[in-house]
Amino acid sequence: MKHYEVNFDGLIGPSHNYSGLAVGNLASSRNARLTSHPKEAALQGINKMRTLMRLGYQQGFLLPNARPDLGTLRNLGFSGSNERIINEAASKAPELLTMVYSASSMWAANAATVTPSLDANDGRVHFTPANLLTTAHRAIEHPQTFAILNTVFADEAFFKVHPALTAHSNFADEGAANHTRLSNQYDHAGVGLFVYGRTEESTTQRFPARQTLAASRAVARGHGTNDAIFLKQSARAIDSGAFHNDVVAVGNGPVLFFHEFAFDAEEQNAIFAELRSRMDFNPICVSNSDVPIEDAITSYLFNSQLLAAPDGDVNNMTLIAPTESRDNPRVKAYLDALTQDTTQPIRQVVYVDVRQSMSNGGGPACLRLRVILNERELSAVSQQFLLTEERADWLESWVMRNYRDDLNPSDLADPQLAVECYRALDELTHELSCYGVYPHQTDAI
Ligand code: SUG
């Protein structure tokens, strides 16, 4: 049966803003409190999806989390009408308002870890929403993400959506950003490469390691993963700003494209030997002399989407890279040389503009959750979440109608913004026949 890699991008929500919430994420800190452009951000996201669809790939999308998350503010002691809650939080605890307004669910690579049915012992596709508990604004995502994944992948004959892991620092989980499914071909059983930053004790000096080995093991176990391998990120990568492994590595099929400093060097040798013994593993290491780690992180070279050809040919790959990689002369020179080198499979680079997301540390690969599906599984997906030209047109017009051009973090104090956000999400969920998926649509207030 034919298998596809389907990319489900997170729709960028109407409250996209720069609040500097993500420790260890250099772009988020650098752009803290700048004016964001939600309409432009969402259109950039839709345009990236359209680019892939027009290249011939299967493309889907996920609903954004509903923000503001007033249920969280109620849980934290605020009460009364929505307006009152927002006014009180704005005056007494503005940091909580930024937390519940973040549009961070756009980075769908952190929505969940996914195991394709070929690799799971019960023959279903497994999802575990990430608990994202290193940062407060992201730790509140998983309940809605769970509901959203259950809406898109509702058919339990084919899909199993697990609850997020237990919320303790020992089980800190950041989802597919730290997971790569490697296989000779999409229709062959593969290996889940789980990359983690720490055991209980962290070895980083500057920034927190967000993913634990215990979390990765728990996800692999819960999914009934037939073949899982665990590899440690290097502390140097994390301390240089690689808060997720997908900032310094991307893999697909038999290929792992990564920076020399991405992984713990000792473990890397042993794990690569293991991978070579199991499959036609094809590592492409970019040396620090070709692309210094600092350039890799500012340009987000490795946060590109690495795609096999639309027909699944893993010898004819495309890299969907952020325009920041084209604008960095060293990185551009490296990529030009790479595509000329016919001993490796990356044949072309397509640059996409996702600058609004990039300013919060989210590149092309952060914006998507990859799901390998066979034809029957693809038909079991709730079809309204698969992109077509018409659906992309509708989403664009919905953004144009509902999103603000500019947003300053101080605008979050305006209760009218909440009204606008909920109105937009209500229109979206009506259109997609899933009204009721969000707490504000069912909670008695
Ligand atoms: O978790 N940024 C996100 C970016 C996530 C990128 N995802 C992947 N690498 N897969 C994060 O650090 C910034 C929000 C703010 O500062 O307003 C933020 O959450």
Side-chain angles (χ1 to χ4, degrees):
M1 202 183 322
K2 205 165 163 35
H3 284 68
Y4 304 91
E5 178 185 275
V6 188
N7 284 277
F8 287 83
D9 280 35
L11 282 181
I12 298 178
S15 64
H16 160 65
N17 73 93
Y18 300 130
S19 285
L21 301 174
V23 61
N25 171 340
L26 301 179
S28 157
S29 309
R30 198 170 46 244
N31 296 303
R33 310 216 55 85
L34 295 185
T35 303
S36 64
H37 305 296
K39 187 179 283 175
E40 189 184 351
L43 294 177
Q44 286 174 351
I46 296 166
N47 198 42
K48 171 169 98 69
M49 289 197 271
R50 224 195 255 275
T51 302
L52 264 78
M53 183 178 65
R54 288 187 177 168
L55 286 169
Y57 296 102
Q58 300 285 342
Q59 178 70 52
F61 59 93
L62 299 177
L63 298 169
N65 270 211
R67 295 292 178 261
D69 181 350
L70 297 183
T72 291
L73 287 186
R74 281 192 201 93
N75 173 262
L76 296 175
F78 294 93
S79 57
S81 67
N82 290 356
E83 188 172 342
R84 173 154 186 242
I85 289 175
I86 291 167
N87 288 336
E88 291 273 297
S91 68
K92 296 194 179 130
E95 72 287 358
L96 298 183
L97 204 55
T98 55
M99 166 185 150
V100 302
Y101 250 119
S102 177
S104 53
S105 68
M106 72 174 81
W107 300 299
N110 307 116
T113 306
V114 185
T115 298
S117 55
L118 276 169
D119 304 351
N121 61 18
D122 70 354
R124 292 191 291 173
V125 185
H126 287 254
F127 301 81
T128 297
N131 59 27
L132 293 169
L133 54 79
T134 304
T135 53
H137 67 294
R138 303 214 64 182
I140 60 175
E141 286 177 34
H142 69 84
Q144 286 193 36
T145 302
F146 177 78
I148 290 164
L149 290 173
N150 269 302
T151 303
V152 180
F153 303 101
D155 189 337
E156 289 183 17
F158 294 99
F159 308 119
K160 170 70 187 168
V161 182
H162 299 260
L165 300 181
T166 297
H168 182 276
S169 147
N170 287 0
F171 310 111
D173 176 24
E174 299 274 322
N178 293 322
H179 173 259
T180 306
R181 193 262 185 168
L182 298 166
S183 63
N184 291 345
Q185 308 279 346
Y186 289 149
D187 57 359
H188 290 196
V191 179
L193 176 65
F194 290 79
V195 179
Y196 64 96
R198 63 180 169 94
T199 49
E200 278 86 59
E201 289 305 310
S202 183
T203 49
T204 54
Q205 306 287 325
R206 192 173 168 217
F207 295 135
R210 295 195 193 180
Q211 179 88 29
T212 69
L213 174 59
S216 300
R217 284 196 190 284
V219 171
R221 192 163 44 235
H223 290 193
T225 310
N226 294 324
D227 207 352
I229 278 192
F230 304 89
L231 174 57
K232 194 167 190 288
Q233 268 185 292
S234 76
R236 179 171 182 173
I238 297 172
D239 281 336
S240 302
F243 54 96
H244 292 137
N245 179 245
D246 68 3
V247 175
V248 281
V250 59
N252 199 344
V255 178
L256 186 64
F257 179 60
F258 65 102
H259 191 273
E260 180 184 353
F261 297 153
F263 305 112
D264 179 275
E266 260 172 53
E267 279 198 13
Q268 178 181 314
N269 291 337
I271 297 289
F272 281 18
E274 180 97 36
L275 284 166
R276 280 199 185 90
S277 73
R278 296 192 199 184
M279 55 180 289
D280 306 330
F281 181 50
N282 183 3
I284 304 176
C285 178
V286 181
S287 71
N288 199 57
S289 54
D290 279 343
V291 177
I293 185 101
E294 294 75 22
D295 290 72
I297 287 169
T298 50
S299 70
Y300 259 39
L301 162 64
F302 296 96
N303 204 260
S304 299
Q305 292 180 244
L306 180 61
L307 304 168
D311 65 1
D313 183 359
V314 291
N315 296 310
N316 178 10
M317 291 190 149
T318 294
L319 205 61
I320 308 287
T323 47
E324 284 78 353
S325 293
R326 186 193 58 202
D327 299 343
N328 178 310
R330 288 180 102 130
V331 173
K332 175 73 167 52
Y334 173 80
L335 284 172
D336 287 347
L338 181 75
T339 47
Q340 294 305 309
D341 173 4
T342 51
T343 64
Q344 60 77 43
I346 303 174
R347 300 269 48 85
Q348 63 164 342
V349 181
V350 174
Y351 295 97
V352 291
D353 178 0
V354 288
R355 286 176 193 275
Q356 281 294 308
S357 166
M358 281 286 287
S359 297
N360 249 340
C366 298
L367 286 162
R368 59 88 173 107
L369 184 68
R370 295 188 283 187
V371 188
I372 291 179
L373 298 171
N374 64 33
E375 282 166 290
R376 288 174 60 210
E377 292 158 353
L378 184 59
S379 350
V381 171
S382 303
Q383 298 293 298
Q384 66 271 40
F385 297 100
L386 296 175
L387 200 72
T388 58
E389 288 289 351
E390 297 69 34
R391 183 66 75 204
D393 290 346
W394 187 87
L395 288 171
E396 275 178 4
S397 66
W398 167 75
V399 168
M400 294 301 289
R401 270 194 302 284
N402 288 291
Y403 281 48
R404 293 192 183 186
D405 290 314
D406 304 318
L407 200 61
N408 288 301
S410 58
D411 297 332
L412 306 183
D414 173 11
Q416 177 58 26
L417 179 63
V419 174
E420 289 171 28
C421 288
Y422 289 170
R423 191 167 54 217
L425 297 170
D426 291 350
E427 191 185 331
L428 179 68
T429 47
H430 274 303
E431 169 72 14
L432 297 170
S433 313
C434 59
Y435 186 89
V437 71
Y438 290 130
H440 77 267
Q441 296 172 338
T442 49
D443 283 357
I445 295 172

